[in-house]
Amino acid sequence: MAPHMRTVTSLESSCSICWLVNDGNTIENVLQIQDTLPLLKLLGYRVHRDSNRSEFPDKFIAARSITRLYYRGSLGGLDQELNSCANLEYFLVEHFRRGLATTVERQPEVFTRLKHIGAVTLSSSEEGDVLRELEPFEGLKSLITIEISHIILPSEDEISMQKYPPNHFKPSQSVFQLLGEKHHSLSRIHVVNTSYQFTAEGGGDLWEQGQDGIWAGRAIPHLSRWDVLNGMLDSV
């Protein structure tokens, strides 16, 4: 391992598993080398095998003090791998991934330190549906920010014209009050506008709770997943 890699604190890896290991080594053997990324805290991870099946970075998380993870693979079928997530404070997945709420609901004790989670892909922007879909996060007592991926669906005419309607999710104060009653630490909701083709469209809205308990929203520019992982919501 090159000497300068000893000071790396953030890493994004998108490749085949064979690019990370060679000569019969496994990722576990590589990570046993103390000089291999000893200070790593932030990890973006999309690593796959020949079958194109995504690998969850549980070995990375267990061997290093990873506190912020952007996982670009499928959440389906994960079980024991999630036990490595106990120290995570940020857990991000891609905007079009479904199953994040189900994953947390299945093993809530693993995610008790989470401060930021997303993106949750809503099936509806109706207030009652939103409250139901966010219920699995009620047990996360440290959670400050929920990121919501709001999919913008065009009409048939707009599909042919390749235009998208400004159908932004803007909840009422009553919804925020209900969320606050169930999620006591929650003080920020980041709504990312995503087209039906699952690409970010025109930034989003950031809703924050003031000291008076009133929530206020404002439009913000598009932030990449890496931007969010690095805490840019704190300064946008």
Side-chain angles (χ1 to χ4, degrees):
M1 180 66 67
H4 64 271
M5 293 295 284
R6 298 171 186 169
T7 60
V8 171
T9 58
S10 60
L11 172 71
E12 183 164 15
S13 178
S14 180
C15 62
S16 169
I17 188 68
C18 65
W19 291 11
L20 292 181
V21 297
N22 54 30
D23 298 330
N25 284 323
T26 65
I27 194 66
E28 294 96 323
N29 291 339
V30 174
L31 292 172
Q32 285 176 4
I33 303 172
Q34 295 302 312
D35 286 344
T36 302
L37 303 170
L39 303 180
L40 192 63
K41 301 290 185 183
L42 281 69
L43 178 64
Y45 200 80
R46 185 180 185 181
V47 174
H48 54 83
R49 295 193 179 276
D50 293 338
S51 62
N52 209 32
R53 180 175 61 87
S54 299
E55 292 282 322
F56 190 76
D58 51 313
K59 306 298 189 304
F60 252 109
I61 299 172
R64 298 295 178 265
S65 300
I66 306 296
T67 57
R68 300 188 179 194
L69 172 65
Y70 168 31
Y71 174 57
R72 299 175 61 187
S74 171
L75 295 170
L78 296 180
D79 188 13
Q80 295 299 321
E81 298 92 338
L82 295 176
N83 291 331
S84 63
C85 297
N87 291 322
L88 288 185
E89 296 179 357
Y90 277 53
F91 186 24
L92 303 182
V93 297
E94 293 184 295
H95 294 298
F96 59 86
R97 294 291 181 195
R98 293 188 180 273
L100 184 56
T102 303
T103 299
V104 172
E105 188 174 35
R106 191 167 63 245
Q107 293 181 256
E109 69 282 357
V110 172
F111 299 101
T112 55
R113 295 190 181 184
L114 278 185
K115 298 179 180 179
H116 185 121
I117 193 167
V120 180
T121 301
L122 296 176
S123 59
S124 167
S125 60
E126 294 294 327
E127 294 181 354
D129 295 334
V130 172
L131 291 172
R132 280 192 296 274
E133 293 192 47
L134 298 183
E135 281 182 0
F137 305 128
E138 292 178 13
L140 307 183
K141 305 304 182 183
S142 300
L143 192 63
I144 296 173
T145 305
I146 296 177
E147 185 177 330
I148 294 175
S149 180
H150 178 56
I151 299 176
I152 301 172
L153 297 175
S155 68
E156 292 183 2
D157 289 340
E158 286 167 330
I159 289 176
S160 63
M161 296 173 63
Q162 296 185 345
K163 293 182 179 179
Y164 306 96
N167 183 23
H168 301 300
F169 168 63
K170 294 192 175 183
S172 65
Q173 290 295 325
S174 62
V175 168
F176 285 125
Q177 290 176 1
L178 291 171
L179 283 174
E181 292 173 2
K182 298 180 178 182
H183 307 265
H184 299 295
S185 59
L186 186 67
S187 61
R188 188 165 62 182
I189 293 180
H190 179 205
V191 181
V192 182
N193 299 318
T194 309
S195 80
Y196 78 109
Q197 296 173 319
F198 304 117
T199 57
E201 287 288 323
D205 298 308
L206 184 62
W207 291 84
E208 297 173 294
Q209 185 181 38
Q211 293 183 349
D212 57 1
I214 302 299
W215 288 73
R218 55 190 172 90
I220 62 172
H222 168 68
L223 296 177
S224 71
R225 313 304 287 138
W226 196 245
D227 291 336
V228 175
L229 197 69
N230 278 276
M232 285 192 64
L233 274 180
D234 295 332
S235 57
V236 68

